[in-house]
Amino acid sequence: MQNRTLRQLTAAGVIAAAYAALSLALAPISFGAVQCRVAEVLTLLPVISPAAIWGVGLGCAITNAVGAATGANFLGPVDLFVGTAATLLAALASRLLGRIRIGGLPWLSALPPILFNAVAIGAEWCYVMTGTLNGTFWLLAGQIALGQLPPCLLGVWLVGLLERRGLQNIIEGK
């Protein structure tokens, strides 16, 4: 039992490190009103293991904290809480939707990271840019959703690949 817990903790740590490393290495496209955070590919891993929920959550927190500290993340420390909360909630919802398969793949699990981030980050950007939530929110939320779409669809493919190769056990801690 302790070995499984240690493996899950290790998997969460590796996912967090990979998320932060990818996001920060690609900082110019990871932050902004028009962004494509490549590390969001990993937000579909909770379909395979609950350990990945904590991994992507921690990775997002590290990314947003470093981004705020270096000035790369224009939203600042608020995004550490709002962006990380959106990622955690999306990871939980993706996990729940992971059992629903279309053509053997968890396509519906891609929706929470797209929608939760579009709403949360779109609202943050709108408020920072205009001082209020107004019609600009819809434009910004749409931009965030479009940036989330490619990595989340790749995340569905990644989950399918891991499952076909039997590699999901690495993340599950078995």
Side-chain angles (χ1 to χ4, degrees), residues 20-127:
L22 270 171
S23 295
L24 295 170
L26 300 171
I29 63 169
S30 294
F31 298 104
V34 178
Q35 63 179 324
C36 184
R37 199 175 271 191
V38 176
E40 290 289 304
V41 164
L42 303 175
T43 62
L44 274 288
L45 292 180
V47 168
I48 295 173
S49 171
I53 295 169
W54 302 111
V56 296
L58 179 59
C60 181
I62 292 167
T63 298
N64 290 339
V66 171
T70 61
N73 187 348
F74 178 70
L75 297 172
V78 172
D79 196 40
L80 173 60
F81 299 103
V82 175
T84 302
T87 296
L88 279 171
L89 290 172
L92 288 166
S94 290
R95 172 92 180 146
L96 293 173
L97 290 171
R99 291 186 175 99
I100 302 170
R101 302 293 175 121
I102 300 169
L105 294 173
W107 292 107
L108 294 179
S109 292
L111 292 177
I114 295 168
L115 297 176
F116 285 44
N117 280 300
V119 170
I121 310 308
E124 280 184 290
W125 269 96
C126 185
Y127 189 79

Side-chain angles (χ1 to χ4, degrees), residues 48 157-170:
I48 295 173
W157 174 80
L158 175 64
V159 167
L161 179 68
L162 290 172
E163 289 175 341
R164 277 193 307 277
R165 304 272 186 205
L167 299 175
Q168 75 274 16
N169 294 339
I170 295 169

